[in-house]
Amino acid sequence: QVPLVESGGGLVQPGGSLRLSCAASGRAFNKYAIGWFRQAPGQEREFVAAINWSGTSTYYSDAAKGRFTASRDNAKNTVYLQMNSLTPKDTAVYSCVAGGSSATDIVHRNEYDFWGQGTQVTVSS
């Protein structure tokens, strides 16, 4: 099993930073690409970032590019999303997913093997 648990969300001021974590159990975690999605109230779910199984390849949405960085530590079964220069538009519930092995698998799929339950990120002064 690869149940996913996100953490690291919270309230941050505009221009601030947060680092989200997506932790999983089980050795199979190291075989999966991991993606980050977000959903703001009243809006559709939006792709944010993805990282391949080995951590050597990443893919970002235009909104995340240049501000967010995905990384992973397979020894710790954890994927991170470092978010810098946050704005109120980044306010959303952020969830991680597992599916396929490449970052583009996350982008091209409509279904994933595992979902986390999400962590709230609020950017406000």
Side-chain angles (χ1 to χ4, degrees):
Q1 290 186 335
V2 186
L4 304 175
V5 179
E6 301 94 338
S7 62
L11 174 64
V12 64
Q13 292 187 341
S17 298
L18 281 175
R19 189 178 78 159
L20 306 183
S21 298
C22 172
S25 61
R27 296 179 181 178
F29 173 82
N30 296 347
K31 301 179 182 179
Y32 283 96
I34 301 294
W36 289 95
F37 286 81
R38 68 186 183 185
Q39 188 166 21
Q43 297 188 17
E44 294 187 356
R45 189 176 66 219
E46 175 188 18
F47 167 77
V48 176
I51 187 166
N52 73 332
W53 69 274
S54 63
T56 57
S57 177
T58 54
Y59 194 93
Y60 299 97
S61 68
D62 287 343
K65 208 171 295 182
R67 300 187 301 130
F68 295 2
T69 303
S71 61
R72 69 189 296 161
D73 184 342
N74 283 345
K76 296 182 178 180
N77 277 9
T78 303
V79 167
Y80 304 98
L81 184 67
Q82 177 67 43
M83 305 188 297
N84 299 328
S85 302
L86 288 163
T87 76
K89 291 183 178 180
D90 296 313
T91 295
V93 174
Y94 285 70
S95 301
C96 59
V97 303
S101 60
S102 69
T104 51
D105 282 341
I106 297 293
V107 176
H108 295 145
R109 286 188 172 200
N110 291 321
E111 297 182 354
Y112 305 96
D113 296 84
F114 301 98
W115 275 90
Q117 56 203 45
T119 185
Q120 176 70 45
V121 171
T122 302
V123 184
S124 175
S125 56

